Amino acid sequence: MVTGDAVDQLLMGQIGHALELGVDLVQIRRKTETARELQSLVVAVLKAFPEARERILVNDRLDVALAAGAGGVHLPASGLPTGSVRESAPSGFLVARSVHSPHEAIRAAREGANFVVFGPIYSTPSKPGHPGAGIDRLREVVESTSVEVFAIGGIDARRASDVARAGAAGVAGISVFRSAEALTELMKRLGELGGSFP
């Protein structure tokens, strides 16, 4: 699960529902908030869901993730170098990275990323003006790297089979979490396919 800009009370409900359905990881992604505001939110999430502490990642902000005690960080493609983050992170801390090519995926794996997220696979409202990379490109990335590749971008229950056949370990998403029904349907389909949903 990748959080959007829902107000805090609604966000807590979305996270709780996602965890109940078996979502593997929750990425706190709030690009417009200050470090103090983001840390406050992450601490609140960790307090509300203490059993999921190791499954909570913070987007981009390594400092906030470490200060709040989150389970890891998700680095955007233009973010801090994966190797530098891995060197400064404690044991067991998850480091994920967004990638847009096989080359970026290979480099992220070499520098210590636990997994990479590739996309958008399909066009999506969260990335206006960006055409989807497509299933063939996803397959290229999967075949290029030694770490798990998760697909993101416009993926719903109907498209999950195509993503799985391309070799993705699972899917990530933002928009799907705005609908409890859509998320439930997707999680059911992923369960049938044996995939996961970070």
Side-chain angles (χ1 to χ4, degrees), residues 59-111:
N59 182 70
D60 198 17
R61 297 302 300 263
L62 174 64
D63 54 344
V64 172
L66 293 175
V73 65
H74 179 92
L75 303 171
S78 59
L80 294 169
T82 307
S84 297
V85 172
R86 173 54 67 203
E87 289 175 3
S88 61
S91 176
F93 189 82
L94 293 176
V95 179
R97 179 157 217 113
S98 290
V99 299
H100 300 108
S101 70
H103 172 74
E104 291 181 4
I106 292 168
R107 180 175 180 179
R110 185 175 64 244
E111 294 182 354

Side-chain angles (χ1 to χ4, degrees), residues 5 11 15 21 32 52 56 60 71 86 114 119 128 139 149 151 175 194:
D5 294 323
L11 178 64
I15 292 174
L21 288 176
T32 61
I56 306 296
D60 198 17
R86 173 54 67 203
N114 294 96
R139 186 177 292 106
V149 178
S175 300

Side-chain angles (χ1 to χ4, degrees), residues 114-145:
N114 294 96
F115 64 90
V116 298
V117 178
F118 174 74
I121 306 303
Y122 305 99
S123 59
T124 173
S126 63
K127 293 285 186 180
H130 290 267
I135 292 296
D136 289 341
R137 189 65 166 167
L138 170 62
R139 186 177 292 106
E140 288 179 22
V141 173
V142 169
E143 293 174 351
S144 73
T145 183

Side-chain angles (χ1 to χ4, degrees), residues 157-158 160-161 164 184-196:
R158 178 175 53 87
S161 297
T184 300
E185 184 180 1
L186 177 57
M187 289 301 295
K188 179 181 178 182
R189 183 61 181 141
L190 287 172
E192 294 170 352
L193 294 168
S196 58

